[in-house]
């Protein structure tokens, strides 16, 4: 699985040395971005959706960006995006 075996989780991309600690779980990583309160609300069967105002803002931003920058961002994925959580691992 990409998320379990991504080399960037185990080796520094600059100096190429191995990290001495284990990478965080996806759940821990998501909680660090959203805060533990929001992370605790995510469970199998939950739906995450982009609000119309948020999607409109992303569209406004993408209109000013070169295509290559848009492709590198996750903006298209979140613009009017709706996602069903099917599995949560601790």
């Amino acid at each position: 699985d990409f998320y379990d075996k991504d080399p960037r989780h185990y080796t520094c991309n600059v100096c190429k040395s191995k990290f001495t600690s284990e990478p965080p779980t996806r759940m821990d990583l998501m909680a660090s971005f959203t805060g533990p309160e929001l992370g605790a609300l995510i469970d199998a069967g939950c739906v995450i959706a982009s609000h119309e105002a948020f999607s409109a803002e992303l569209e406004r931003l993408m209109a000013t960006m070169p295509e290559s920058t848009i492709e590198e961002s996750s903006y298209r994925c979140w613009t009017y995006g709706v996602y069903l959580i099917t599995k949560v691992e601790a």
Side-chain angles (χ1 to χ4, degrees), residues 10-24:
Y10 300 95
T11 306
C12 176
N13 199 32
V14 176
C15 71
K16 304 299 182 194
S17 64
K18 298 283 183 193
F19 293 129
T20 57
S21 59
E22 287 294 309

Side-chain angles (χ1 to χ4, degrees), residues 10-47:
Y10 300 95
T11 306
C12 176
N13 199 32
V14 176
C15 71
K16 304 299 182 194
S17 64
K18 298 283 183 193
F19 293 129
T20 57
S21 59
E22 287 294 309
T25 65
R26 281 193 54 80
M27 186 68 147
D28 290 340
L29 193 58
M30 288 182 65
S32 74
F33 295 140
T34 64
E37 298 82 11
L38 187 56
L41 295 174
I42 297 175
D43 201 2
C46 290
V47 174

Side-chain angles (χ1 to χ4, degrees), residues 42-58:
I42 297 175
D43 201 2
C46 290
V47 174
I48 298 174
S50 297
H51 190 277
E52 186 172 352
F54 177 71
S55 294
E57 176 64 13
L58 291 178

